[in-house]
Amino acid sequence: MTTVIKAPGEAGAQRPGGSGRRTGEDGGRRSDGTALNVFSHGFLAVWAILIVLPLFWLMLGSFKTDSQIGGSALGWPSNWHFDAFVRAWDKGIGDYFANTVIVMVFSVPLTMLLGSMAAYVLARYPFRGNRLVYYFFVSGAMFPVFLALVPLFFMVKRLDMLNSYQGLILVYVAYSMPFTVFFMHSFFRTLPTAVHEAAVIDGASDTRIFFQVMLPMAKPGLISVGIFNVLGQWNQYILPSVLMQPQSGSDPERYLLTQGLIQLQQQMGYETDLPVLFAGVTIAIIPMVVVYLSFQRQIQAGLTSATLK
């Protein structure tokens, strides 16, 4: 019997040991991957609609009148004007906005500085009780702030810092420290040890190593946790409501933006002026949207760099 062996380029040729099943398996895997991609992209599209549509409706209502909002919720405004924004700003939103900015200009940098310093020491310097101190910080993230409102109020009152910027700044820093230490601790542990050792050999002090060597290398992590702190402190409501209340008739109002929106609603009483309320909420939302869209690439890089190194 004569066996004919065809060349690899000829039709009908098979590789040794080939059974033709590999093509079917690859096709099955490819179809499974396509179905997974369709499902994931569809889920993300639905999630985006659930987030963008309410924001769009809110901003659109800022340019309408009360009758237009009640008549057609998703209809376009007949006249595009900024009267609602001007009225909202004149009714106190401008002051509330300024108070919020004043607090965050000091609270966010202090949180980042103290949190990164604590995380760096816990991540790079082994000492007795290191893990105990680390778990002490992390446990703060699992402690609900509602349980600490009463003792926190009396502590701030004893320090004579109620309805003051510095009192709320210190509380914000303490409130944001657990997450900052937890996040930056994991990031500092991924940085190369050889760079630290080279700086030590060159005679650099611990302070100089931290500020001039390690901190610039941790820039993606700092930006990511910084954005989270900005979002969390900007949207905080319960702490300002408890700590930023006038204590006497002569004590001025230092309401923050979240408190100011409630005050704006209460000032209306039975008079409905929904465009003003929508405009106030839009003013509160726009800065955070701009911040997130401006640093979204840095946030993604900071969240993934620790796992890629």
Side-chain angles (χ1 to χ4, degrees):
M1 180 180 295
T2 304
T3 303
V4 179
I5 301 177
K6 295 184 179 182
E10 295 181 7
Q14 294 183 355
R15 295 180 180 178
S19 60
R21 296 177 57 187
R22 183 178 300 275
T23 303
E25 293 177 358
D26 293 344
R29 294 174 183 174
R30 200 173 293 116
S31 62
D32 293 341
T34 303
L36 181 61
N37 289 334
V38 171
F39 174 78
S40 61
H41 284 75
F43 177 79
L44 291 176
V46 173
W47 183 261
I49 291 174
L50 293 176
I51 294 176
V52 173
L53 189 60
L55 294 177
F56 177 74
W57 172 77
L58 182 70
M59 295 180 182
L60 202 64
S62 304
F63 299 94
K64 295 181 180 180
T65 61
D66 284 321
S67 59
Q68 290 177 348
I69 293 175
S72 177
L74 296 179
W76 292 94
S78 58
N79 295 317
W80 294 85
H81 49 77
F82 294 88
D83 293 344
F85 291 92
V86 175
R87 295 199 307 271
W89 194 267
D90 292 338
K91 288 186 177 182
I93 291 297
D95 296 333
Y96 307 144
F97 190 94
N99 292 336
T100 306
V101 172
I102 291 173
V103 171
M104 295 192 60
V105 163
F106 294 96
S107 63
V108 174
L110 275 176
T111 301
M112 300 306 302
L113 176 63
L114 299 178
S116 59
M117 291 174 67
Y120 172 72
V121 171
L122 293 173
R124 311 295 296 194
Y125 293 90
F127 57 89
R128 181 177 298 179
N130 182 296
R131 303 305 296 174
L132 181 62
V133 176
Y134 171 72
Y135 289 131
F136 175 77
F137 276 108
V138 174
S139 63
M142 299 181 289
F143 189 80
V145 67
F146 302 97
L147 298 179
L149 287 179
V150 175
L152 182 63
F153 174 82
F154 286 106
M155 182 181 296
V156 177
K157 183 179 181 180
R158 183 173 297 179
L159 296 174
D160 197 20
M161 290 185 177
L162 287 176
N163 197 30
S164 64
Y165 295 132
Q166 56 268 33
L168 189 61
I169 289 170
L170 293 177
V171 172
Y172 272 7
V173 172
Y175 175 76
S176 304
M177 280 286 287
F179 176 74
T180 304
V181 172
F182 172 76
F183 188 94
M184 293 306 300
H185 178 272
S186 302
F187 200 90
F188 278 123
R189 289 179 64 90
T190 64
L191 298 181
T193 308
V195 178
H196 181 273
E197 294 175 349
V200 173
I201 293 175
D202 290 340
S205 62
D206 293 333
T207 304
R208 185 176 182 182
I209 292 174
F210 173 72
F211 283 103
Q212 296 186 2
V213 179
M214 307 304 290
L215 203 60
M217 295 174 62
K219 182 179 178 181
L222 288 172
I223 293 177
S224 298
V225 74
I227 296 301
F228 284 119
N229 284 328
V230 168
L231 294 175
Q233 295 181 14
W234 184 273
N235 297 322
Q236 183 59 239
Y237 172 72
I238 186 66
L239 291 176
S241 298
V242 174
L243 303 177
M244 298 295 285
Q245 296 290 341
Q247 302 302 304
S248 63
S250 59
D251 200 8
E253 294 182 353
R254 295 189 177 95
Y255 294 142
L256 268 63
L257 199 53
T258 50
Q259 295 173 274
L261 294 175
I262 302 298
Q263 293 295 321
L264 187 64
Q265 183 183 14
Q266 293 177 353
Q267 289 174 7
M268 293 181 184
Y270 294 102
E271 178 186 359
T272 59
D273 195 358
L274 292 178
V276 171
L277 185 60
F278 285 8
V281 177
T282 302
I283 293 173
I285 290 176
I286 287 178
M288 295 301 98
V289 174
V290 172
V291 168
Y292 183 79
L293 293 179
S294 302
F295 295 97
Q296 59 176 340
R297 294 184 180 275
Q298 289 82 352
I299 294 174
Q300 296 173 1
L303 292 176
T304 57
S305 59
T307 58
L308 294 178
K309 289 182 179 180

